[in-house]
Amino acid sequence: MYFKRKELEKFRSFKGPLIDVRSPSEYYKGHLPNSINIPLFDNDERSKIGTIYKKEGRKKAVIEGLKFFEKKMELLLDNLFMSIESYKTISNKNNEFFIRIYCSRGGMRSQSIAWLLEKYKLNPITLHGGYKIYRKWVLDSFSKKLNIVVIGGKTGTGKTKLLSLIEKYKYQTIDLEGFACHRGSTFGGLGMKEQPSNEQFENQIAEKLNSFKFTKNIFVEAESANIGKCKIPHEFFNQMKNSRRIEIVRSESNRLEELIDTYSVFKKEELQESVLRIKKRLGPQRTKIALESINNERWDLVCKSVLEYYDKCYEYEKVGKTNIKILDLTDKKYDESILELINNLL
């Protein structure tokens, strides 16, 4: 069996295609970003092998796994070679690279594929400890002391817009809503891709943190613990709650304009469904106004009818927060002139 395994830090430092040979369900739950899933066993095959292992032991499970492997070896090789060639095309480099392979614990699945590729005189390496060791690295990263600056503000103040602006000018930012594919409210999923698993959400945050200098400020948008179905890592969220906070203030007309620009592009049915999800909290009167206004394309009335509700929620969420600096952006354009205002608050 092939044993050219590398520790996580060294494994990550090599250049080359990154291959996840676990089953599709394992990959969906969580994987190394930018990895390609070329499963040694599909979900059903992995389940069968696991059952045999529990009932009849390791030897019988390995034999069954080899039977599956024999039937699909040619297809596996085709997929692997396609990924390798794609990497060569994209990287457009002739330098030597390695085929990086990992499975759940750095065991037989990744070693089997590495052994096979070595027969073709390629350069495979496997991850010692597999995805399990990577997840430990992910979770450990949230316990490190971070210089977080939270950007807060009521609905429609343009928090995400400000975050994008300062990222453009090379400030360290983490777009939690972008990673979660959700804006955090009942309307948050409109126009967004399917949300990732919570585990993959955590992986993306950890990877972003890994690219930062922890001595410098890290800007994030104020969020509840949950963004859609994704939950912000507990240790990271605790640091957010106790961090410095910049509170954006804008006029009601500014906020309405922002909300209208964001949500008026969506289908009426989608907007009405979103309103109905919070009808108990909106109350019958506001719900009726919102639904009728959507139907009549009175976007100002739609936004006004939900703004009061979200403002109350936000004021409740802000209770107990200290170390807040006000950033008044009323009638201001979101351009580089804002950067000086931010720097004066830090």
Side-chain angles (χ1 to χ4, degrees):
M1 186 60 69
Y2 187 86
F3 289 103
K4 193 174 180 181
R5 293 181 288 184
K6 300 293 181 182
E7 300 298 328
L8 179 62
E9 185 176 354
K10 189 70 174 176
F11 181 85
R12 288 166 61 89
S13 71
F14 284 106
K15 302 297 182 184
L18 180 58
I19 311 295
D20 184 323
V21 298
R22 300 173 304 150
S23 67
S25 61
E26 290 173 287
Y27 182 82
Y28 172 77
K29 184 180 179 183
H31 54 269
L32 273 70
N34 301 315
S35 62
I36 303 165
N37 187 213
I38 303 179
L40 184 58
F41 306 121
D42 63 28
N43 296 335
D44 290 338
E45 290 166 346
R46 176 174 173 262
S47 178
K48 289 175 183 176
I49 293 168
T51 300
I52 292 171
Y53 183 89
K54 290 178 182 178
K55 292 183 176 179
E56 303 180 52
R58 185 176 185 274
K59 183 178 178 181
K60 289 287 183 66
V62 170
I63 292 172
E64 187 67 19
L66 288 172
K67 290 178 183 178
F68 289 135
F69 183 51
E70 182 182 10
K71 292 177 183 178
K72 61 173 66 178
M73 187 184 298
E74 185 176 349
L75 178 61
L76 274 169
L77 283 170
D78 285 345
N79 290 334
L80 288 164
F81 291 150
M82 283 177 61
S83 296
I84 293 167
E85 289 303 315
S86 294
Y87 177 83
K88 288 180 181 178
T89 302
I90 294 170
S91 64
N92 197 26
K93 293 179 180 178
N94 295 319
N95 297 339
E96 183 181 44
F97 63 86
F98 292 82
I99 296 100
R100 299 173 294 161
I101 305 160
Y102 72 93
C103 60
S104 181
R105 293 179 174 82
M108 288 190 67
R109 285 186 286 181
S110 58
Q111 292 174 37
S112 298
I113 296 296
W115 171 84
L116 186 60
L117 291 177
E118 190 187 38
K119 300 306 175 187
Y120 287 85
K121 301 189 183 302
L122 296 169
N123 293 319
I125 56 171
T126 62
L127 174 59
H128 182 65
Y131 180 72
K132 184 178 180 180
I133 206 72
Y134 172 74
R135 277 295 294 170
K136 182 180 184 304
W137 173 85
V138 167
L139 297 175
D140 287 347
S141 69
F142 301 132
S143 299
K144 296 177 181 177
K145 176 61 179 174
L146 306 170
N147 287 323
I148 294 175
V149 178
V150 174
I151 296 175
K154 294 179 179 179
T155 299
T157 50
K159 299 183 289 293
T160 302
K161 186 183 289 186
L162 179 60
L163 198 68
S164 298
L165 173 69
I166 62 177
E167 182 176 34
K168 177 183 175 182
Y169 286 91
K170 310 304 179 184
Y171 288 68
Q172 295 185 152
T173 67
I174 296 182
D175 184 1
L176 294 170
E177 292 183 355
F179 286 149
C181 296
H182 201 281
R183 299 185 193 87
S185 69
T186 186
F187 300 91
L190 293 175
M192 305 292 274
K193 297 178 182 177
E194 181 184 357
Q195 286 199 267
S197 69
N198 197 72
E199 195 168 290
Q200 191 60 21
F201 175 62
E202 293 175 343
N203 292 350
Q204 291 174 300
I205 298 171
E207 290 287 346
K208 189 72 171 180
L209 284 174
N210 188 54
S211 69
F212 290 160
K213 293 181 179 178
F214 287 1
T215 54
K216 293 186 176 181
N217 293 322
I218 298 172
F219 292 85
V220 300
E221 185 175 334
E223 304 286 355
S224 301
N226 296 305
I227 308 176
K229 70 177 184 180
C230 292
K231 185 176 180 63
I232 298 174
H234 179 71
E235 294 86 352
F236 188 81
F237 188 66
N238 277 343
Q239 292 200 54
M240 285 176 60
K241 288 193 294 184
N242 297 311
S243 295
R244 291 171 293 165
R245 188 181 181 104
I246 293 176
E247 189 79 6
I248 303 173
V249 174
R250 299 188 83 196
S251 67
E252 183 179 277
S253 61
N254 289 161
R255 295 167 62 203
L256 287 173
E257 183 180 355
E258 182 77 23
L259 292 174
I260 290 169
D261 287 345
T262 302
Y263 293 109
S264 63
V265 297
F266 297 110
K267 293 179 180 178
K268 295 179 182 179
E269 295 79 7
E270 293 175 332
L271 291 167
Q272 288 172 334
E273 286 174 8
S274 297
V275 168
L276 289 171
R277 280 198 291 271
I278 56 171
K279 64 179 182 180
K280 289 184 179 178
R281 286 170 282 177
L282 282 177
Q285 188 63 26
R286 280 201 302 244
T287 299
K288 181 182 178 183
I289 292 172
L291 293 174
E292 289 178 350
S293 299
I294 290 170
N295 196 51
N296 296 323
E297 299 186 8
R298 289 295 310 275
W299 306 120
D300 55 335
L301 296 180
V302 176
C303 294
K304 280 184 178 180
S305 64
V306 298
L307 210 54
E308 183 182 347
Y309 161 69
Y310 278 117
D311 282 357
K312 287 181 179 178
C313 291
Y314 188 75
E315 289 301 328
Y316 177 79
E317 184 269 334
K318 206 173 65 171
V319 170
K321 296 287 190 302
T322 58
N323 199 11
I324 297 176
K325 300 289 183 67
I326 302 299
L327 179 63
D328 192 341
L329 297 182
T330 300
D331 296 330
K332 284 187 169 59
K333 292 183 179 180
Y334 278 54
D335 56 27
E336 66 273 12
S337 64
I338 293 175
L339 303 180
E340 186 177 352
L341 299 176
I342 294 173
N343 290 327
N344 289 338
L345 294 176
L346 298 175

